[in-house]
Amino acid sequence: MKKILILTVTAGNGHNACARGMKNKLEKIGGVEVKVVDLLKSYSSKLNVWVADKGYAISVSKFLPLYNAFYDYYKRMDPERRYAVPSQKTVVSTAEGLMREILEFQPDVIYSTHFYGAIALTDIKLAYGLPCKTVVSNLDYVNSPFWEAGIGVDYFAIPNEDFIEECLAEGYRREQLLPMGLPVDERTLECVEKAEARRRIGLEEDVFTVMVMFGGGYWSGGVKIFKNLIKALQGRRAQVIMINGRNERGYRQVERVRAAEGLKILNVGFTDQVPLYLSAADVIINKFGGTSVTEMINKTLPMLITERTAAQERYNLEYMKQKGVALSFKNEKELREQILMLMDNPERLREMSKKTQSLRKNAINDLANFMLSLPNADYSQMEKEEIELGDVKKSVEKALREANQSARTERRKTRFSDGGGRIT
């Protein structure tokens, strides 16, 4: 029986959701033992766990301009500095526990839904090598900062072929790249007619329907946008689905909103039926995390997106606007203009929906089958080496220093050689 270890990090819900989804998919196929581990919660300090999850939440909700400035700064950083990026300190703290897990579980494949996993695996391979295959997924439509530090993995699953050149520029090799897409819930690929979906959730079949969803993304503006939408739709016949997720305060605020005549509000708390609600909508208003984007694409759903969002989501938005499947708004006035334009132009909605077709992929199925096709690992050599578990962190730190020094030497050679070529 093949063994697969899945690494995730709690930084929002997307990484964990994809990890759970992959575990369920692999077990559904059968013939595999799967273990899911939160990299930081299992092997690092409480401080690092807090920074990755709550620290990120505070950054994007309270200090968004500062967060975006740091993101853009590190996005521009020379990828050859990969062995000294700030995330290395956090990731090195997991080395001891991760190596122990690998030696005890002896997976044939290690799969990660977060770049921390990619970096951790690269670091361990610098120091020791691994007999198992390593696969990681990018969950955005951009290579966020620090992905360049994960080039030691065997395979990197990316959204599609458009991202190959960006990966090559960061140091990945073409043979590492799997343009398979983002591994989201397969139910988003199911074809459910709008009329049927609306009947099932208690809405009218032939009325323009907008879905609003902000509940899972550490962003405080969802209720305000919902209220602005209701104001924009006054005097129109329409339906609004508000998905609050775990935002209980937002749910209560929406409950107090009284819609004008002709408007119907469906207020939803936490639900595992998001694909059904997506099927019922004509357009969605949302933030723009990569997994949410992919779910909307799989439902061929036109998107109207706020521009007040975290940097990685801004890159997602720019890409989807280029593809013609998304529009954006900066303020209440632009929200009103855009939603009424779409409401009055069903042909534009159909055109945007049609353009999503080229972006749809069944990544969770393709990745699961790919991992199951990889060869089983032979740990006999590692067992012979008798790795001292108490020394793993030190060994990884030493390997990183050596790799960083080597990279710095190569940069100096390149800088001072004629024509930018390297001196041999």
Side-chain angles (χ1 to χ4, degrees), residues 78 408-418 420-421:
D78 181 357
R408 289 171 61 187
T409 300
E410 287 299 308
R411 288 199 299 274
R412 284 198 296 268
K413 288 180 179 180
T414 301
R415 190 181 306 133
F416 294 111
S417 61
D418 291 335

Side-chain angles (χ1 to χ4, degrees), residues 106-366:
Q106 297 197 354
D108 299 295
V109 180
I110 303 177
Y111 172 67
S112 177
T113 62
H114 194 279
F115 66 81
Y116 277 178
I119 298 172
L121 294 170
T122 295
D123 292 353
I124 284 178
K125 291 176 76 173
L126 281 173
Y128 296 98
L130 287 173
C132 58
K133 295 298 182 182
T134 51
V135 184
V136 299
S137 279
N138 186 355
L139 300 188
D140 277 301
Y141 290 80
V142 60
N143 280 1
S144 299
F146 313 140
W147 269 113
E148 69 274 10
I151 63 169
V153 296
D154 294 297
Y155 300 102
F156 184 24
I158 56 177
N160 56 47
E161 290 80 0
D162 289 347
F163 297 87
I164 290 175
E165 291 304 316
E166 182 179 3
C167 293
L168 296 178
E170 292 191 354
Y172 287 89
R173 304 181 309 280
R174 179 63 183 85
E175 59 269 24
Q176 290 174 282
L177 304 178
L178 305 174
M180 291 183 175
L182 279 65
V184 300
D185 192 336
E186 274 190 306
R187 292 178 298 169
T188 59
L189 289 162
E190 295 174 358
C191 182
V192 180
E193 295 295 329
K194 277 187 173 58
E196 169 63 18
R198 290 172 185 173
R199 281 197 300 271
R200 287 165 62 179
I201 61 177
L203 295 180
E204 296 183 53
E205 297 177 21
D206 59 348
V207 178
F208 181 78
T209 303
V210 185
M211 180 168 163
V212 184
M213 185 167 67
F214 288 86
Y218 299 126
W219 198 82
S220 58
V223 173
K224 181 178 179 181
I225 286 177
F226 166 79
K227 290 179 178 178
N228 288 338
L229 172 66
I230 295 300
K231 188 187 300 184
L233 291 172
Q234 283 187 358
R236 300 293 188 109
R237 186 165 177 252
Q239 302 175 132
V240 178
I241 305 168
M242 180 65 179
I243 306 291
N244 296 278
R246 300 188 187 277
N247 184 357
E248 296 179 3
R249 181 170 179 267
Y251 178 86
R252 292 192 299 270
Q253 289 177 307
V254 172
E255 280 292 288
R256 292 193 290 268
V257 173
R258 294 294 173 258
E261 185 178 351
L263 287 180
K264 181 172 183 178
I265 298 173
L266 182 59
N267 191 25
V268 182
F270 179 77
T271 177
D272 62 356
Q273 295 299 313
V274 168
L276 179 62
Y277 290 104
L278 289 170
S279 295
D282 290 299
V283 63
I284 185 166
I285 299 175
N286 203 349
K287 312 172 49 269
F288 228 42
T291 55
S292 295
V293 174
T294 306
E295 290 172 345
M296 292 179 262
I297 287 170
N298 286 353
K299 283 296 183 183
T300 68
L301 189 58
M303 297 162 263
L304 180 55
I305 307 302
T306 175
E307 294 184 14
R308 183 182 178 274
T309 192
Q312 68 273 17
E313 299 183 7
R314 186 184 69 227
Y315 282 97
N316 293 338
L317 175 57
E318 290 172 359
Y319 178 74
M320 292 302 163
K321 287 173 72 172
Q322 291 172 8
K323 291 297 181 180
V325 300
L327 299 172
S328 65
F329 62 93
K330 296 186 183 72
N331 50 43
E332 179 182 352
K333 179 176 180 289
E334 290 189 4
L335 169 61
R336 183 179 187 278
E337 291 172 348
Q338 296 282 40
I339 197 65
L340 294 183
M341 181 274 294
L342 292 172
M343 190 176 187
D344 294 337
N345 291 272
E347 184 57 38
R348 179 69 181 276
L349 279 173
R350 284 192 290 269
E351 178 187 343
M352 292 174 71
S353 178
K354 185 177 180 180
K355 287 180 178 179
T356 63
Q357 294 287 345
S358 64
L359 299 171
R360 296 175 86 230
K361 292 178 181 291
N362 192 350
I364 197 165
N365 179 73
D366 295 344

